[in-house]
Amino acid sequence: MMAYYGAIEAGGTKFCCAIGNEHGDILEEMTIPTEHPEKTIQQLIPFFKQHDIAALGVGSFGPICVQKDDPSYGYIMNTPKVEWKHYPFIPELEKQLGVPVSFTTDVNAAALGELTKGAAKGLGSCLYITVGTGIGAGAVVKNELLHGHSHPEMGHILIRQDESDTFAGVCPAHGNCLEGLAAGPAIEKRWGKPAKELTQEEAVWALEADYLAQALMQYSLILSPERIIMGGGVMKQKQLFPLIREKLAAYVNDYVDLPPLDTYIVSPGLEDKAGMTGALLLAIQAKRNA
Ligand code: ADP
Ligand code: ZN
């Protein structure tokens, strides 16, 4: 008999839910707005119950506690979304659905999806970075998520700001970290217009590519992934890709041998389904391990 699996991509503005099969193919989807946690959970439970899922996988906004022996395991931690702060998100789903639930960050899930079925298929490792409302990155090595004391928060690394750029940054915690300087809201605030209306402004993308290339250099030196997949709204500006490759090559200056840059830095193969696919794969793993 065919088993069904559930997946959630939990974001700050919307929750995307899906039912899939044992191959990680998405069969049906439903989206609800992110509201008060209890209300949001109540809306998605019937969707999963009606399909009698065998397990659930979740790619979540965060920070979220991933340490199994911590009393806050599966809780959303210190989020700016106050209603969700310290909410027992994963325990609540387990309780209400009565199936194994596996979870990670949205970007770790996307990395897993891309490694298994997307732009990094066939490789042993990849890094996925989203440049959207925020910046986050996740990495997977041989199907294992990178979880340690917590999960990576690679969007908040420090960046060497260009001399011409006096912008203070928008990160509430750090000001001019990578997210504070280069996420969509930072572009809009620095240049006075939404990023998608700035396509023709060369200076915007030269600076953006500089900061993203600095980040990719650090990820490359620290993690040495085989491929870096760049998604999120801002990366719809395709002119960024060649600019980022060029700046990265200049920063690295042949110190390490990177893969050929045209295939090292790429767009998602699963388009906007990377996170959902990864969450589904986590559900399948959770059932197997149960
Ligand atoms: P989220 O990060 O909330 O999941 P997105 O990845 O779509 O959602 O990111 C939204 C951000 O991306 C916004 O700041 C928006 O200005 C920016 N954005 C969306 N579409 C584009 C585009 N075509 N070009 C440049 N920036 C875009
Ligand atoms: Zn920050």
Side-chain angles (χ1 to χ4, degrees), residues 209-224:
D210 182 357
Y211 295 161
L212 292 173
Q214 289 188 47
L216 298 200
M217 164 148 158
Q218 294 171 57
Y219 304 152
S220 298
L221 295 176
I222 292 169
L223 294 169
S224 195

Side-chain angles (χ1 to χ4, degrees), residues 163-243:
E163 275 171 22
S164 70
D165 180 27
T166 54
F167 184 56
V170 296
C171 175
H174 316 113
N176 62 353
C177 68
L178 175 65
E179 178 173 299
L181 290 174
I187 299 175
E188 178 163 355
K189 189 155 184 212
R190 183 193 286 104
W191 303 97
K193 266 190 214 173
K196 63 173 170 295
E197 292 172 25
L198 293 162
T199 307
Q200 304 308 324
E201 303 292 326
E202 277 179 33
V204 171
W205 307 108
L207 191 67
E208 183 72 9
D210 182 357
Y211 295 161
L212 292 173
Q214 289 188 47
L216 298 200
M217 164 148 158
Q218 294 171 57
Y219 304 152
S220 298
L221 295 176
I222 292 169
L223 294 169
S224 195
E226 286 160 85
R227 189 155 291 166
I228 294 179
I229 296 146
M230 303 192 77
V234 173
M235 293 312 300
K236 291 192 179 137
Q237 299 290 324
K238 295 293 174 206
Q239 72 277 20
L240 274 172
F241 282 88
L243 293 172

